[in-house]
Amino acid sequence: MSKDYQIIVIGGGSGGLTVAAGAASFGAKVALIERKSSLGGDCLHYGCMPSKALIHGAEEIHQVATYESLSSKAYDSYFSKTMARVSEAVKDVQHHDSKDRFLDMGVDIYESEARFVDSHRIQVGNEIISGKRIVIATGSSPFIPPIDGLDSVDFLTNESVFSLTERPEKLAVIGGGVIGIELSQALSRLGVEVTVLEGAPSILASEDEEITSIAEELLNEELTILTNAKVKQVEEADGKTVLTYEQNGNEQRLEVDQILVATGRKANIDRLNLSAAGVYVTDGKIDVDSTMQTSQPHIYAVGDCNGSMPFTHVAGMEGKIVVSNAVFGLKRKASYKKVPWVVYSSPEIYHLGMTEKEARDQYGDDLLVFKTKLADNDRFMAERNTAGLVKVMTKGNGKIVGAHAIGPGAGEWMQEVGTVQALNKKFQAISNIIHPYPARNNIVSQTSDLYWREKLFDSKLNDAIRWYVKKFR
Ligand SMILES: NC(=O)c1ccc[n+]([C@@H]2O[C@H](COP(=O)([O-])OP(=O)(O)OC[C@H]3O[C@@H](n4cnc5c(N)ncnc54)[C@H](O)[C@@H]3O)[C@@H](O)[C@H]2O)c1
């Protein structure tokens, strides 16, 4: 006899936990299946949390190193202390996602690999459980590219890098995307000599080009970044790892102590037996519509396994939508237009909506672009942090279509633009909000003032104001 549930959630990461907690809070009978011994998924164990702990620790060492040069012995010690702090941070945050918390909510937890028997029944260990609705939230793992020899050397990924206890002297990072760049900079600040090999013409390919070029210039001061560098082969020789890569038609070699592979993600769906459930997959990701329904109306998929946007905050947003749809039978839809993200490099990069290129292609002459350099803002001048830029793009009427920034803490203060957009307000509204001086978000208000200036310069409003001033002078 199979045990029956109203909702079965497969995967105890950010998306799955949002669904399990939400559904249980409304009194649904919920089963949560997780193959690992602890909940929390990639974000807690190998992603957002350890990387932020590492980045913060590395930033502190970097500050010290700007005042006095550090010996390699000092770096060894800072490296192992920072790594110990990273694992303490993960343990602390883990309390939020503890099994006890979910058991207290009334959720049944199965510590096992899930495998569909048919569209309602799932094998977990020796048991079969059945669900009226099923939510797949199995996340993603590092995609390992088919590079000759890579499978015969020991390499790191985001799943193993946080377990390092000793400082490698030289590290090659394959991939200059978000993971590659965040980790490269942090490790370099902890005394590792890092070379990033990126196959594309630039790093951080999803970012606005102007922002990327500022980032590349700044990061080049701390790392060696090789673009158009395609890694062809990896081998071990005399205890070292040797990479052969091709750059601009030339074959080159690089000898390092270790390699970190950060070349994208692949959805964790191989072992689910999705075909038995009649769930369709395209390009290795589960097909969903905007209500998160798969090809089977009672089966939903949230988070990285559906290939929408690989962010914890997106998995959370999709999870909440699934609670409404699976528990209450609603048809709420996900929208990705207003999803911001941040690259936690130093300085941080904020991204909302279209890049300038995308916006120009879509809106042509109706596009307005407002920019303020950090060098033109008092606070950043005072802090001697003037390398950076804020860029906000609107349609002629002020409707925000994209916002990008690079600067210290940009991930926090730029979200003001995201909030205004989410509230369906126009960019010029920010000018009317009083900002405490000299908070860093004054630069957002300063950029919003440009909208009014632009309108004054080229509109009848300007003539009207001149007429008024003349009359009452
Ligand atoms: N701060 C954040 O929000 C955050 C942090 C980490 C990860 N993530 C998400 O996780 C996902 C995965 O990140 P990622 O950095 O692994 O992937 P990515 O797709 O962002 O970057 C991978 C990079 O590797 C390059 N590459 C692939 N094969 C190569 C090869 N053989 N040689 C050289 N370069 C090669 C690609 O050109 C690409 O630039 C991203 O989509 C990202 O959005 C987000």
Side-chain angles (χ1 to χ4, degrees):
M1 257 263 300
S2 71
K3 211 167 170 190
D4 296 333
Y5 289 94
Q6 279 169 291
I7 310 268
I8 296 178
V9 180
I10 310 175
S14 313
L17 294 182
T18 305
V19 178
S25 75
F26 291 116
K29 193 176 171 201
V30 180
L32 173 65
I33 310 173
E34 168 56 58
R35 63 184 173 187
K36 295 204 171 133
S37 58
S38 60
L39 305 178
D42 231 61
C43 174
L44 173 63
H45 297 283
Y46 318 121
C48 326
M49 282 306 109
S51 67
K52 268 41 318 146
L54 179 75
I55 288 166
H56 184 71
E59 173 81 39
E60 288 178 348
I61 308 306
H62 181 67
Q63 296 297 337
V64 174
T66 55
Y67 292 105
E68 56 181 89
S69 61
L70 300 175
S71 66
S72 84
K73 208 167 149 213
Y75 273 119
D76 284 341
S77 157
Y78 285 135
F79 188 90
S80 49
K81 282 182 187 148
T82 306
M83 286 308 192
R85 261 175 56 170
V86 168
S87 71
E88 276 166 30
V90 171
K91 273 192 208 123
D92 283 351
V93 180
Q94 199 159 5
H95 289 303
H96 293 161
D97 295 339
S98 75
K99 281 189 177 170
D100 285 346
R101 200 179 139 232
F102 283 83
L103 291 170
D104 286 348
M105 291 178 201
V107 175
D108 284 354
I109 300 177
Y110 292 84
E111 194 182 307
S112 177
E113 179 103 33
R115 188 176 162 80
F116 280 95
V117 176
D118 57 36
S119 68
H120 281 281
R121 291 184 306 147
I122 294 172
Q123 170 116 36
V124 274
N126 296 325
E127 275 181 87
I128 289 182
I129 59 173
S130 155
K132 199 163 181 211
R133 310 253 192 279
I134 297 170
V135 183
I136 307 170
T138 47
S140 65
S141 314
F143 164 73
I144 307 302
I147 295 172
D148 201 16
L150 188 58
D151 52 2
S152 57
V153 302
D154 256 351
F155 60 84
L156 300 164
T157 65
N158 68 299
E159 292 185 354
S160 48
V161 69
F162 302 109
S163 308
L164 283 175
T165 49
E166 283 180 24
R167 176 176 69 98
E169 282 203 10
K170 284 188 181 183
L171 176 76
V173 176
I174 308 181
V178 191
I179 295 183
I181 290 303
E182 287 185 3
L183 293 178
S184 295
Q185 187 182 33
L187 292 169
S188 133
R189 290 178 163 195
L190 291 169
V192 182
E193 191 183 319
V194 182
T195 305
V196 179
L197 299 113
E198 168 54 58
S202 86
I203 56 166
L204 300 172
S206 320
E207 301 311 315
D208 182 272
E209 269 177 40
E210 194 174 8
I211 299 289
T212 302
S213 77
I214 297 171
E216 205 161 319
E217 206 178 311
L218 294 172
L219 288 163
N220 261 319
E221 291 169 15
E222 299 182 44
L223 314 164
T224 303
I225 297 175
L226 306 174
T227 50
N228 289 315
K230 296 190 180 68
V231 180
K232 298 280 177 193
Q233 198 196 7
V234 177
E235 61 198 316
E236 263 172 14
D238 303 328
K240 297 276 178 193
T241 307
V242 183
L243 295 94
T244 305
Y245 63 95
E246 195 185 288
Q247 193 183 29
N248 307 323
N250 300 319
E251 202 163 278
Q252 321 253 18
R253 279 161 75 83
L254 175 69
E255 191 181 278
V256 292
D257 300 309
Q258 258 173 326
I259 294 180
L260 171 70
V261 178
T263 47
R265 315 283 304 167
K266 74 171 173 41
N268 295 328
I269 55 170
D270 294 352
R271 301 209 290 251
L272 286 170
N273 199 23
L274 290 174
S275 57
V279 170
Y280 297 163
V281 169
T282 303
D283 294 335
K285 290 153 198 159
I286 298 175
D287 288 345
V288 284
D289 65 12
S290 56
T291 68
M292 302 290 118
Q293 248 169 356
T294 66
S295 46
Q296 287 286 358
H298 68 285
I299 303 182
Y300 300 81
V302 301
D304 286 13
C305 67
N306 72 22
S308 54
M309 274 183 153
F311 299 111
T312 292
H313 48 292
V314 169
M317 178 264 283
E318 293 176 345
K320 285 183 190 167
I321 285 173
V322 165
V323 172
S324 305
N325 296 353
V327 178
F328 297 107
L330 302 178
K331 282 278 177 196
R332 278 185 64 201
K333 291 181 178 170
S335 162
Y336 300 92
K337 278 193 184 150
K338 295 180 180 176
V339 174
W341 72 76
V342 176
V343 179
Y344 291 92
S345 49
S346 174
E348 288 176 0
I349 296 172
Y350 177 88
H351 184 128
L352 175 74
M354 294 183 194
T355 62
E356 185 170 346
K357 188 173 178 311
E358 289 163 350
R360 278 212 186 283
D361 287 349
Q362 176 139 353
Y363 297 111
D365 290 344
D366 192 35
L367 186 76
L368 299 176
V369 182
F370 305 102
K371 297 191 223 178
T372 309
K373 291 181 180 160
L374 265 62
D376 292 330
N377 176 273
D378 297 356
R379 172 68 180 271
F380 293 107
M381 283 162 83
E383 291 179 349
R384 323 307 290 149
N385 273 323
T386 50
L389 179 73
V390 169
K391 179 197 279 197
V392 179
M393 289 164 294
T394 72
K395 294 206 274 181
N397 63 4
K399 207 167 173 229
I400 298 159
V401 296
H404 305 271
I406 177 165
E412 314 284 339
W413 45 261
M414 268 300 278
Q415 180 51 21
E416 180 169 1
V417 183
T419 304
V420 164
Q421 189 204 38
L423 294 171
N424 288 322
K425 301 281 180 207
K426 293 180 176 168
F427 181 46
Q428 55 270 38
I430 293 177
S431 277
N432 296 326
I433 300 169
I434 300 165
H435 292 69
Y437 181 86
R440 286 172 173 172
N441 63 3
N442 271 271
I443 196 166
V444 178
S445 168
Q446 199 176 335
T447 312
S448 172
D449 291 345
L450 297 175
Y451 181 91
W452 294 109
R453 232 173 281 164
E454 172 102 3
K455 283 287 158 200
L456 286 182
F457 281 133
D458 78 346
S459 74
K460 290 190 183 117
L461 184 63
N462 187 291
D463 296 339
I465 290 171
R466 282 176 187 283
W467 175 84
Y468 182 88
V469 171
K470 215 169 173 180
K471 196 165 170 209
F472 292 99
R473 199 163 31 199

